[in-house]
Amino acid sequence: MPAPKLSRRSALKWFTGSATAATALPGLAAPGETEPAPPAFPTRHPIQDPDFMAQPYPEAWPKTLTEAELKQIDVLADIILPADEHGPAASAVGIADFMNEWLSAPYPDQRDDCETIRGGLAWVNTAAFQAHEKTFTELSLAEQTALVDKIAAPEAAPVPKKFFTTFRQLCLGGYYTSTKNWAQLGYVGNVSIGGPYPGVPAEIIEKLGLQDVA
Amino acid sequence: MPVLTDRKTQPQYDVIVVGSGAGGGMAALRLALEGVKVLMIEAGRNYDPAKETAMFNTPEMAPLRGERTPARPFGHYDCNIGGWQVAGEPYTNKKGTEGDFWWWRARMLGGRTNHWGRIALRFGEHDFNCASRDGLGVDWPMTYQDLAPWYDKVEMLIGVYGENDGIENAPNSSPGVLLPPPKPRVGELLAKKAGKKIGVPIVAAHRAVLSQPLDAKNLPKKLFPGNAKAQEILSKDMALRAACFWATNCVRGCSIRANFQSTTVLLPAALATGNLDIITDAMVREVIIGPDGRATGVHYIDKVTRRDAVAKARVVILAASSCETTRILLNSKGKDSGGTANSSGEVGRNLMDSVGTGLTAHIPAMEDLPPYNEDGAGGLHVYSPWWKVRDHAALGFPRGYHIEMGGGRQMPSVNSLSILNTTAPGVYGSKLKEEARRYYGASFGFSGRGEMVPNKDCYCELDPKVVDQWGIPVLRFNWKWSDHEIKQAEHMQQTFAELLTAMGGKANPLSGRDAIKKPGEIIHEVGTARMGAKAGSSVTNQYCQTWDVKNLFLMDGAVLPSNPDKNPTLTILALAWRSCEYLMDAMKRGDV
């Protein structure tokens, strides 16, 4: 398996920006810098030494989105990933909760996403106000969908386009990491199998003409 | 089974082992099985894989769905405490260094063996006389034949799956040693077919994972002939290790003990002898050298009480990881100003990591296949050993690389579907779900692990101005890749692009300079206290015994004179075992 990739951008930004996040994550120092010695912690470090058995997982940082933002996220996410024959709507698997956790996290990538999403949600509300003198959630489904068509269009301006792309990416991430949605995606693992590993089914080997290497 | 005894120590031991990973765990087990009284000192905390492993944990049970963050660079469920940054334990990079070195550290019982990829490759016959072949670096003070029997023993003890392919410089194991490899996944079969087309051999990977239960009845007899107690202990312990059940990535560790960790394979049996005490949360500062120039023990900081303490023994083995062992040597007092065991001046020099690059592409043939379970052995099933051993003159770079690979339908993560940003921009609604199903798992990637040549600009030394929170002077690194590595990285990218293209994908290879990973990022740093044939140019002899201090041994990656593309863990285990036999003979003779 290729080693998981640490985004260099993230790492460098994180290391240099660690002072600002020091309250959330004590004790991470940049290479080449020294730091005041933290106290000994014979108890477990909450981030570097997580307790995987603690369930539900203790909240690692305070969630910062407002009720109105969460409601708007649910409505918008359900247009992007609606209930249909494939599976439930995004709101039904806790998409707003996931986004609240993600966008409140202290890490550089998530802070970038937070700026994009919060700004974008407000941008969408302004567009709704300019067209209908209402907030986005007060619009009819047809009006909401028309607005989504605008920000999803290839010719959309950079700000709404970036918002839509980021928002959709987070919807997909939150939705398909829910175990309920694994099957509709085609992931059937995380179960134990006795005996030797079964390998690739014969029908796939035939379909792809892999008989000579199987 | 409890992994740890009480936090107690005796006034005097036969041997102190610093570090509990591959080298330390192996040494402790081998010695304890023969009745040697051993004290192991570990800087991290106690860790019990049976109770603490995130087996079957789903993304929903983790912060950010388990996503990688700067604080958890391999994801939330990675079995590692520590990482490239350890709270309160900084390191520095020297002004003018070409690249900042990233130093990975584990602070837990079992060290990095809890986290590694379980890729267990033998070094080959050419690797031991590399300098004689191309004039670069130094030869090893031993041949492949010297180490081969110990590779066999280690593979039988820990359990390694793989096949004997008879490929030059990728040695076969003795018959009956390897476990059968798992069948390849679909992406791996497609890669194999592409490899055939362009002349890259893709064969069964060698990984320290039990594809079937170990032969607990017969193996211990082969491994420890004439030692009934050792056979009994190993028989019992091997029978407790379950075979892989083809779920849960190995990077999480393994509560059923199907893969190799020091904490699941070495330490339980070592503790069962009654001859091993372990203290954790104890940070070794230096080796104590007596007036006669011999080691008398170690000075450590008890991290729980923050008090200085001393442990004494007849022999000291450092196996704290390459750079930590080096730091302890440099911080110890010897005859000369450069620390202990450093009359050669080589301690800290010859720092090497593996050259790493990766390339991934979307593979249309993998779209929309009927679902089947691709979790497999929690890591790769196939790999490519270096196939151009005889072509280096034409290639323009001196050393080789192997290729690791993976892709397909792994457990969904937050970014599993980021490909849709390119393939389906603007799409939403039910159509988006159809696109998600089509593209999920339809990517495959290759990553290379290559050998770098040691050079004078890659080293670590003590930083004269900085101490860590335990008051111990810290390491300062300096780094510079040579053209050898950059050209090799470039070749990797071209090869991966060829493979991906032959698989039907569109690949965008990078230049070598852009593709090469950070120094230290591959976490194979070795070489900073190398072994050699002569005292003047090396730190230890071929048995990991320091030339200057006869009862001081180094049993981790620090002693490697070169860093072949094969990941170092298996070799560290084999060297430690072989060196312990030498040590016990020397103790019997009264030489140490």
Side-chain angles (χ1 to χ4, degrees):
Chain A
M1 196 189 86
K5 194 174 169 217
L6 170 69
S7 145
R8 209 167 289 182
R9 176 185 73 119
S10 307
L12 293 175
K13 274 175 68 180
W14 171 258
F15 291 149
T16 51
S18 62
T20 55
T23 47
L25 290 162
L28 287 178
E33 288 175 15
T34 54
E35 58 180 340
F41 38 88
T43 52
R44 298 172 64 154
H45 191 282
I47 300 292
Q48 289 198 334
D49 184 6
D51 179 357
F52 302 127
M53 301 305 129
Q55 293 300 329
Y57 201 80
E59 192 175 274
W61 44 81
K63 294 178 180 168
T64 52
L65 298 193
T66 66
E67 280 305 314
E69 285 171 321
L70 295 173
K71 193 178 167 204
Q72 194 184 352
I73 286 170
D74 265 344
V75 171
L76 197 51
D78 281 357
I79 293 170
I80 289 169
L81 293 166
D84 58 14
E85 73 275 19
H86 305 295
S91 64
V93 295
I95 199 71
D97 230 23
F98 162 71
M99 288 224 200
N100 201 0
E101 187 211 13
W102 185 275
L103 300 173
S104 308
Y107 308 105
D109 285 355
Q110 282 75 12
R111 287 167 98 96
D112 284 354
D113 287 349
C114 185
E115 271 180 35
T116 305
I117 299 300
R118 285 197 118 156
L121 290 171
W123 189 97
V124 166
N125 266 337
T126 300
F129 179 78
Q130 283 166 345
H132 308 284
E133 295 194 353
K134 288 177 183 169
T135 64
F136 180 73
T137 52
E138 289 162 355
L139 303 184
S140 69
L141 182 60
E143 288 164 343
Q144 286 167 344
T145 308
L147 215 166
V148 170
D149 277 334
K150 248 166 105 180
I151 63 172
E155 65 276 11
V159 168
K161 194 172 198 168
K162 185 178 176 199
F163 164 69
F164 179 79
T165 306
T166 308
F167 188 83
R168 192 187 73 161
Q169 170 60 32
L170 288 176
C171 284
L172 288 165
Y175 188 78
Y176 288 111
T177 49
S178 299
T179 44
K180 269 185 205 155
N181 293 324
W182 283 357
Q184 59 157 315
L185 193 60
Y187 178 69
V188 294
N190 209 35
V191 291
S192 65
I193 299 173
Y197 174 65
V200 184
E203 58 167 319
I204 297 179
I205 290 188
E206 271 165 47
K207 183 185 169 195
L208 299 178
L210 295 170
Q211 295 90 337
D212 57 327
V213 286
Chain B
M1 165 177 296
V3 173
L4 193 48
T5 47
D6 298 333
R7 191 183 177 84
K8 63 173 165 54
T9 57
Q10 313 290 330
Q12 177 78 27
Y13 288 88
D14 295 324
V15 176
I16 287 171
V17 176
V18 179
S20 61
M26 187 73 235
L29 172 62
R30 188 63 202 103
L31 297 171
L33 285 173
E34 297 296 332
V36 178
K37 299 288 179 193
V38 179
L39 174 67
M40 173 179 277
I41 303 180
E42 164 57 46
R45 72 162 171 89
N46 184 23
Y47 169 72
D48 183 354
K51 293 193 186 129
E52 299 192 50
T53 311
M55 306 293 281
F56 296 107
N57 284 30
T58 63
E60 294 152 309
M61 297 159 74
L64 303 178
R65 304 286 160 111
E67 193 60 18
R68 290 162 202 144
T69 64
R72 303 288 299 161
F74 288 75
H76 179 72
Y77 290 132
D78 177 23
C79 185
N80 188 66
I81 302 165
W84 282 298
Q85 293 299 317
V86 174
E89 298 183 23
Y91 55 91
T92 63
N93 276 282
K94 204 170 179 178
K95 207 174 165 198
T97 185
E98 190 184 282
D100 280 354
F101 186 84
W102 289 9
W103 184 21
W104 182 275
R105 287 156 296 168
R107 290 286 178 258
M108 66 197 295
L109 192 66
R112 304 184 206 183
T113 64
N114 297 302
H115 145 107
W116 70 310
R118 274 77 181 178
I119 295 171
L121 303 170
R122 294 181 177 208
F123 294 179
E125 54 271 30
H126 300 330
D127 296 326
F128 291 84
N129 61 351
C130 47
S132 300
R133 284 171 57 84
D134 61 22
L136 299 167
V138 290
D139 284 339
W140 287 55
M142 67 173 79
T143 65
Y144 172 71
Q145 294 312 326
D146 292 327
L147 200 55
W150 309 96
Y151 277 132
D152 275 346
K153 283 172 193 279
V154 168
E155 287 169 351
M156 285 191 274
L157 176 73
I158 71 176
V160 174
Y161 70 65
E163 269 173 351
N164 289 328
D165 300 291
I167 291 170
E168 184 175 357
N169 207 36
N172 288 349
S173 302
S174 293
V177 168
L178 295 175
L179 302 171
K183 287 183 185 171
R185 308 169 177 94
V186 69
E188 293 170 323
L189 289 177
L190 285 164
K192 219 170 151 180
K193 192 164 175 120
K196 262 185 151 180
K197 219 186 281 178
I198 67 165
V200 176
I202 296 182
V203 299
H206 291 233
R207 291 184 70 241
V209 176
L210 303 187
S211 54
Q212 62 187 35
L214 285 173
D215 182 354
K217 196 168 155 228
N218 295 307
L219 284 174
K221 286 182 204 153
K222 282 188 202 162
L223 291 171
F224 304 104
N227 185 340
K229 194 182 171 203
Q231 292 173 19
E232 189 196 328
I233 288 170
L234 258 299
S235 263
K236 265 192 202 152
D237 201 66
M238 280 183 176
L240 291 171
R241 293 186 61 199
C244 182
F245 52 31
W246 319 114
T248 298
N249 195 301
C250 289
V251 83
R252 298 179 178 208
C254 194
S255 69
I256 63 166
R257 305 170 66 188
N259 65 31
F260 169 78
Q261 295 165 237
S262 178
T263 38
T264 56
V265 179
L266 304 175
L267 297 181
L271 286 166
T273 64
N275 296 322
L276 172 66
D277 288 340
I278 303 177
I279 52 173
T280 55
D281 302 294
M283 184 83 186
V284 170
R285 177 194 167 93
E286 60 182 273
V287 178
I288 302 169
I289 305 292
D292 59 352
R294 290 166 52 86
T296 60
V298 298
H299 173 168
Y300 65 92
I301 317 296
D302 183 325
K303 288 162 89 167
V304 177
T305 60
R306 299 190 77 96
R307 294 172 74 103
D308 290 56
V310 165
K312 295 195 165 176
R314 188 174 153 195
V315 174
V316 173
I317 298 174
L318 298 183
S321 84
S322 299
C323 292
E324 199 68 71
T325 286
T326 301
R327 181 183 176 205
I328 293 168
L329 291 176
L330 293 173
N331 274 317
S332 304
K333 284 157 201 70
K335 284 188 295 243
D336 30 48
S337 59
T340 201
N342 195 18
S343 61
S344 66
E346 295 292 333
V347 173
R349 298 184 61 199
N350 313 304
L351 175 61
M352 296 167 275
D353 189 17
S354 294
V355 177
T357 86
L359 193 64
T360 298
H362 164 61
I363 306 296
M366 293 169 77
E367 287 172 24
D368 256 339
L369 292 175
Y372 77 101
N373 189 336
E374 294 198 291
D375 285 358
L380 45 82
H381 293 185
V382 301
Y383 90 118
S384 296
W386 178 236
W387 66 102
K388 289 181 175 288
V389 171
R390 293 171 181 254
D391 300 342
H392 284 285
L395 288 167
F397 58 91
R399 304 282 169 86
Y401 60 88
H402 74 264
I403 307 175
E404 302 174 7
M405 59 195 78
R409 289 180 172 129
Q410 297 165 357
M411 185 183 284
S413 70
V414 172
N415 289 310
S416 291
L417 294 160
S418 53
I419 187 175
L420 296 180
N421 291 335
T422 323
T423 59
V427 172
Y428 68 90
S430 294
K431 173 81 173 121
L432 179 63
K433 291 187 180 179
E434 284 155 27
E435 293 295 307
R437 187 179 170 95
R438 176 178 163 195
Y439 282 100
Y440 160 66
S443 295
F444 199 78
F446 296 93
S447 74
R449 295 289 177 265
E451 175 172 2
M452 78 174 275
V453 177
N455 71 60
K456 65 173 177 40
D457 294 313
C458 296
Y459 58 86
C460 57
E461 61 192 5
L462 291 181
D463 188 318
K465 292 186 185 156
V466 184
V467 296
D468 67 11
Q469 68 158 317
W470 315 111
I472 307 172
V474 309
L475 285 181
R476 179 169 72 181
F477 292 90
N478 194 74
W479 193 270
K480 190 178 180 185
W481 295 115
S482 78
D483 279 354
H484 302 316
E485 288 79 41
I486 302 299
K487 283 183 186 164
Q488 186 194 54
E490 179 101 10
H491 191 269
M492 287 182 186
Q493 288 289 300
Q494 294 302 324
T495 305
F496 303 161
E498 266 189 82
L499 283 164
L500 291 166
T501 305
M503 290 170 78
K506 275 204 193 91
N508 299 305
L510 298 171
S511 74
R513 176 89 39 201
D514 288 340
I516 198 164
K517 302 270 188 190
K518 290 283 277 184
E521 192 175 350
I522 308 301
I523 322 180
H524 292 162
E525 73 282 1
V526 302
T528 42
R530 71 184 180 195
M531 58 167 62
K534 282 195 228 117
S537 56
S538 60
V539 181
T540 79
N541 64 17
Q542 62 169 303
Y543 301 106
C544 303
Q545 179 183 34
T546 64
W547 294 109
D548 298 351
V549 184
K550 294 288 175 216
N551 64 337
L552 175 60
F553 288 71
L554 315 179
M555 295 196 191
D556 56 29
V559 297
L560 268 56
S562 70
N563 193 13
D565 70 79
K566 296 96 175 180
N567 309 354
T569 306
L570 188 75
T571 298
I572 291 170
L573 288 162
L575 286 175
W577 192 332
R578 180 175 185 261
S579 300
C580 283
E581 302 292 341
Y582 169 89
L583 166 60
M584 288 189 289
D585 282 347
M587 287 171 85
K588 269 178 217 153
R589 288 195 309 268
D591 288 353
V592 299

